[in-house]
Amino acid sequence: MRFATPLIEGRLVRRYKRFLADVVLEDGTETTAHVANSGAMLGLDAPGSRVWLSRSSNPNRKLALSWELVEADFGAGPELVGVNTMHPNLLVAEAIAAGHVPALAGYARMRREVKYGKSSRIDIQLEDEAKPLCLVEVKNVHLMRAPGHAEFPDCVTARGAKHLDELAAEAQKGNRAVMVYLSQIGSAGRIGLARDLDPGYGRAFDLARAAGVEAIGLVCRIDPDGIEVADIIPMTG
């Protein structure tokens, strides 16, 4: 995934109301950017951090700028982290289409945002007449409290637990159900669960795994020009 236009660098003043961030640009102008991230963003929203923003060409948007990247140091030196949670579905879809996720290769068709369960939409649905239906739910990972070890979630997510429950039901029907955890921290060597931050999610994960839901960890390569899936990494549970 390449950014459509060059990103705009600035310094974070504050993030507030979850979806807003005040940023001072390099020319000294202060502006407000949209934050496409409902999580706690622990360790990523320190005032003064270097950030990069994209500009939308949509004239109807209330805020033209969106927060895309932040520079953070998790113990091995500064690195770029992707904070926009609108990108992981596209990134994973691109990686599957390119054959970079062998466990999800070999399907004839891919569809996105398909209705399933009681009132949900699956991020990616893979279809092939010779195989069971494969439902893929993608989660963005951007929490790191120990070098190399990324974690999900970074706050309580009842919606995330609901997705696990619905995937478990699909697995019990005979469909293939897969959770993909995508780290937008490039230094991640493994992904685990932040069970202390959301014990309920941990319990739902364990039940889903017991029901046959698969879990795949992926890590991104990130630079100011774009983001792409770089590798498969272990899920530590």
Side-chain angles (χ1 to χ4, degrees), residues 1-7 54-57 68 87 224-226:
M1 185 203 80
R2 301 287 93 184
F3 293 114
T5 58
L7 298 185
S54 62
R55 184 182 297 278
S56 173
S57 60
E68 298 287 353
H87 296 325
D225 294 323

Side-chain angles (χ1 to χ4, degrees), residues 125-144:
Q125 182 167 293
L126 302 175
E127 303 169 350
D128 194 291
E129 283 74 11
K131 301 178 182 181
L133 193 68
C134 181
L135 293 89
V136 181
E137 180 72 23
V138 180
K139 294 301 181 188
N140 182 71
V141 182
H142 55 248
L143 171 64
M144 184 174 283

